Amino acid sequence: MSKIRVMSENLANKIAAGEVVEKCASVVKELVENSIDAGATNIKINLIDGGLTSISIIDNGSGMDKEDATLAFARHATSKIYKDDDLFFIETLGFRGEALASIASVAEVNLETCNADIGTHVHIKGGIMDVVEPTSARIGTSITITNLFYNTPARLKYLKSEATELNNCVRFIEKLALSKPEITFTLTNNDRIVVKTSGSNNLLKTIHEIYGLNVSSNMLEIKASSDDFEVTGFVGKPGILKKNRNHFNTFVNDRIVRNNEINKAINDAYNTYKHEGFYPIVVINIETDPTLVDVNIHPTKQDIKMSKMEELTTLLYKTIKEALYNNLLIPNALVDESLNEVKDNFIAPEVYDKDASVTEVIQTTLDFAEPQEPEETQVKNETFKRLKLYPIGQVHGTYIIAENEDGMFILDQHAAHERVNYEMITKKFKEETPSYTDMLVPLSIELSASDYETFMANKNVLEDLGFKIEEFGINTIIIKSHPTWIAKNFEGDNLRTIVDLVINNGKNFNKERFLDSLAKMVSCKMSIKANEHLSLVQMENLLDDLMKCDNPYNCCHGRPSIMKFTNYELEKMFKRVM
Ligand code: ZN
Ligand code: ZN
């Protein structure tokens, strides 16, 4: 019985609009999604020259009979959609079954497929089917695409270098493997293994197989739900950051998605845990009712729109923030990040292959730790905060050396103090009736006409915080009182900068963003600088204050404030243990 039907013209037109086969990775994507739809549990992707010379997909899915194998290449044929309404659901993967026909019209295709005793071999070139013959085959499908875009020079031009095409394929398969830990994926390029996952159905193990040990042992598990969403997965500790957002692996109902609001919520949750411009590694699946999702806003289907987006972003933000808060995140001073770094910097395939062998070495020499292990070794924040650090002294008037029974700590005194001030100030922001100090000598500031307008339009933000500001002649303001969190000796300098900050936030004034930069700026200005001598008592007070912070590990700009040498590391350094 044939599983493939021919869809209505109307539906075909809708789908045709979304047709995109523009690079090797889009061919890989279509074919691999077909394999997943066919129930495959083992999928091999073999590329030659990054896919430019050939792309082969071999799966152990259900395969096709002769009728389906030929019909699969007909325009508007799809096994996945039966009526218009189905388009708005995303429970099956590649709903554009038409893609196979598109690919076949611009390349050479060899298909061997089998769903029972007799297999079928189909050969198509430029959309013309010239071979359909029985063949012996195992159950499943094997499809090879060569000469992509040979008859459409205009599109051929858009294919990038081998390295770029390979890179795109690898990134896609890595993400897909993370979304489908139950499927075994093997991607090779010129017979060298580039990606390999075991299909263990263990997400942390899959993360290990993709990113290596340094990453998998630095992931925090998350699990939370709201009325409409269930969020599960792993988020990276701030110690392992990347220079781009490629490693935001987000899935909705096991499908790869890309959405700016979701990305922003993830990134915001790491605010002050990391530098601007660095991004965490996360692997997050969101389960929800498919009717809340609209995948059709972008032809590649990775961009989605979602009803109840605010509920989702709030849930994500809260869950990730809690995971970070609840775990000990003091970076070890001695971390071998070399294994981790290779992957980020790869450009040429040779470099990538080198990395693949690194991954293989890890896999064979370091047997994957039990998945629970990283969690067991994580110390919960509450325990940590009760720990006391004892100061020993200061180095170059800049770093504080401290100890406790677990090891030795080095702190950056400015970063530590800035963190303490930042959390103090942001807490004050939330007070309903802010306490304020009248200034002995009110400060008058003269502004340009346009700055004056901008400032006056937004001055209520400052008034809510306890500032008293009045007009004082033409384009001049006078500040009569300020909130108590601005320390006495820091008034003049700070007040001017705060006025500038209001003006710079300018026309599209965003209160949340303004308050955050205000807190960051003032806490930096009021904190001990480098080259400032501290007494042991001052150091002890600072350490105690830091340990009470929600995030004692970073200054408000994400720089580390504290580093640890464990006793074991000290012993190893001095060869007391081998
Ligand atoms: Zn600073
Ligand atoms: Zn800072």
Side-chain angles (χ1 to χ4, degrees):
M1 174 56 197
S2 170
K3 282 181 290 187
I4 293 188
R5 318 225 178 128
V6 174
M7 73 174 96
S8 74
E9 195 63 37
N10 180 24
L11 181 55
N13 291 339
K14 278 187 195 168
I15 290 176
E19 204 69 75
V20 174
V21 176
E22 56 186 10
K23 50 190 183 194
C24 296
S26 38
V27 174
V28 168
K29 178 174 185 292
E30 294 303 332
L31 299 179
V32 171
E33 286 181 350
N34 283 343
S35 295
I36 292 172
D37 284 350
T41 57
N42 193 327
I43 302 172
K44 294 196 177 81
I45 304 100
N46 297 328
L47 308 176
I48 303 292
D49 303 331
L52 294 172
T53 302
S54 135
I55 300 169
S56 292
I57 314 287
I58 301 148
D59 72 46
N60 66 347
S62 59
M64 291 179 270
D65 59 18
K66 186 181 160 199
E67 191 190 350
D68 280 352
T70 50
L71 203 50
F73 294 98
R75 263 193 82 219
H76 311 330
T78 174
S79 62
K80 293 141 201 162
I81 300 165
Y82 298 107
K83 55 183 199 297
D84 283 18
D85 281 352
D86 290 351
L87 253 189
F88 300 98
F89 292 82
I90 56 163
E91 275 153 340
T92 61
L93 281 169
F95 63 71
R96 292 165 301 138
E98 232 205 1
L100 209 50
S102 295
I103 294 168
S105 67
V106 295
E108 187 172 347
V109 180
N110 257 299
L111 171 78
E112 281 194 22
T113 185
C114 175
N115 72 346
D117 300 332
I118 297 175
T120 307
H121 171 219
V122 176
H123 177 262
I124 299 184
K125 191 170 181 185
I128 294 162
M129 197 176 296
D130 51 15
V131 178
V132 181
E133 60 186 11
T135 174
S136 64
R138 44 161 202 97
I139 303 279
T141 299
S142 155
I143 186 164
T144 300
I145 312 293
T146 47
N147 293 319
L148 184 62
F149 301 142
Y150 78 101
N151 56 356
T152 50
R155 291 170 93 181
L156 190 60
K157 268 204 318 232
Y158 286 110
L159 286 178
K160 304 268 167 40
S161 68
E162 174 183 342
T164 307
E165 293 294 331
L166 174 62
N167 193 343
N168 289 331
C169 293
V170 169
R171 289 215 189 287
F172 172 70
I173 293 299
E174 285 181 338
K175 273 190 196 298
L176 192 67
L178 290 166
S179 76
K180 303 270 173 203
E182 72 281 11
I183 297 178
T184 303
F185 288 94
T186 312
L187 185 150
T188 67
N189 184 49
N190 299 341
D191 294 326
R192 300 198 60 169
I193 294 177
V194 184
V195 180
K196 187 163 175 52
T197 64
S198 57
S200 59
N201 200 19
N202 175 326
L203 180 56
L204 191 57
K205 184 167 182 181
T206 311
I207 292 171
H208 171 78
E209 288 157 347
I210 301 283
Y211 286 112
L213 187 66
N214 189 26
V215 170
S216 66
S217 56
N218 281 293
M219 297 301 274
L220 307 170
E221 188 163 14
I222 56 165
K223 195 172 170 52
S225 55
S226 65
D227 289 348
D228 301 287
F229 299 99
E230 197 186 318
V231 169
T232 54
F234 291 89
V235 298
K237 291 186 189 173
I240 43 158
L241 297 171
K242 299 282 180 185
K243 291 188 191 74
N244 55 58
R245 282 178 217 229
N246 290 339
H247 307 281
F248 279 19
N249 300 288
T250 48
F251 315 120
V252 171
N253 297 348
D254 298 327
R255 287 189 50 148
I256 300 169
V257 297
R258 202 172 40 207
N259 177 282
N260 287 338
E261 287 168 82
I262 291 177
N263 285 356
K264 184 177 181 303
I266 295 169
N267 200 46
D268 285 353
Y270 280 81
N271 183 26
T272 81
Y273 278 91
K274 62 174 185 64
H275 268 297
E276 293 280 315
F278 283 82
Y279 302 94
I281 298 171
V282 306
V283 183
I284 297 174
N285 187 39
I286 299 153
E287 289 290 333
T288 188
D289 180 342
T291 56
L292 293 181
V293 188
D294 179 6
V295 288
N296 288 315
I297 62 164
H298 191 277
T300 66
K301 290 185 296 173
Q302 291 192 358
D303 275 309
I304 54 157
K305 256 200 339 229
M306 183 123 51
S307 325
K308 311 203 180 182
M309 186 53 102
E310 210 185 315
E311 180 188 331
L312 174 61
T313 52
T314 308
L315 178 69
L316 280 170
Y317 176 83
K318 253 184 53 200
T319 308
I320 298 172
K321 222 173 157 80
E322 247 169 57
L324 295 173
Y325 174 77
N326 283 331
N327 287 279
L328 172 63
L329 300 167
I330 303 180
N332 278 10
L334 310 169
V335 192
D336 179 15
E337 292 196 353
S338 53
L339 293 177
N340 196 23
E341 286 312 304
V342 187
K343 204 151 207 164
D344 236 15
N345 301 332
F346 87 92
I347 306 159
E350 303 80 59
V351 180
Y352 202 87
D353 287 342
K354 215 193 294 165
D355 183 49
S357 56
V358 170
T359 313
E360 279 165 330
V361 172
I362 298 173
Q363 277 162 1
T364 47
T365 57
L366 302 166
D367 250 340
F368 180 72
E370 281 303 299
Q372 303 87 292
E373 207 194 46
E375 221 185 341
E376 283 167 5
T377 55
Q378 281 159 17
V379 182
K380 293 295 176 211
N381 212 10
E382 292 307 317
T383 328
F384 166 62
K385 280 194 216 151
R386 267 180 262 121
L387 292 181
K388 194 165 160 65
L389 301 187
Y390 301 92
I392 293 169
Q394 221 181 354
V395 177
H396 297 320
T398 301
Y399 306 102
I400 298 172
I401 309 290
E403 67 170 338
N404 71 10
E405 55 276 26
D406 295 333
M408 182 176 96
F409 298 81
I410 302 182
L411 294 96
D412 178 317
Q413 67 191 37
H414 174 73
H417 195 208
E418 190 179 272
R419 162 57 58 178
V420 171
N421 281 330
Y422 175 76
E423 294 205 1
M424 179 270 289
I425 292 172
T426 45
K427 278 194 189 99
K428 296 276 185 192
F429 283 172
K430 290 177 190 132
E431 283 177 3
E432 277 202 17
T433 42
S435 47
Y436 60 89
T437 321
D438 288 329
M439 291 181 67
L440 235 47
V441 184
L443 179 74
S444 69
I445 301 174
E446 200 182 341
L447 300 168
S448 74
S450 65
D451 285 355
Y452 180 80
E453 289 306 314
T454 316
F455 180 81
M456 292 310 269
N458 298 304
K459 79 175 165 81
N460 59 321
V461 174
L462 294 183
E463 286 166 347
D464 291 347
L465 298 173
F467 289 87
K468 255 192 213 113
I469 302 159
E470 286 170 17
E471 295 172 46
F472 190 70
I474 298 161
N475 296 337
T476 304
I477 55 165
I478 184 159
I479 302 178
K480 292 192 156 168
S481 63
H482 63 76
T484 48
W485 46 259
I486 298 181
K488 268 240 155 350
N489 343 347
F490 295 95
E491 282 169 343
D493 217 19
N494 265 311
L495 293 176
R496 261 172 242 278
T497 330
I498 291 169
V499 170
D500 283 343
L501 195 64
V502 175
I503 294 163
N504 291 340
N505 265 259
K507 299 242 163 4
N508 313 318
F509 195 86
N510 175 312
K511 187 176 173 188
E512 196 188 329
R513 211 166 44 217
F514 169 77
L515 289 180
D516 197 53
S517 30
L518 175 63
K520 283 174 177 165
M521 187 203 81
V522 175
S523 50
C524 182
K525 280 192 179 252
M526 298 199 313
S527 297
I528 330 159
K529 301 286 176 295
N531 297 313
E532 240 178 83
H533 179 76
L534 298 178
S535 69
L536 270 181
V537 178
Q538 285 174 309
M539 285 185 240
E540 195 170 352
N541 289 341
L542 176 56
L543 295 181
D544 288 350
D545 287 345
L546 182 68
M547 289 307 129
K548 283 182 214 137
C549 286
D550 284 345
N551 169 11
Y553 324 107
N554 305 93
C555 85
C556 57
H557 307 93
R559 272 205 303 123
S561 50
I562 181 165
M563 294 272 176
K564 181 182 185 180
F565 290 84
T566 63
N567 287 330
Y568 177 73
E569 284 165 342
L570 292 171
E571 284 165 359
K572 231 174 117 183
M573 259 193 287
F574 292 100
K575 309 272 182 253
R576 287 170 170 274
V577 293
M578 298 299 279

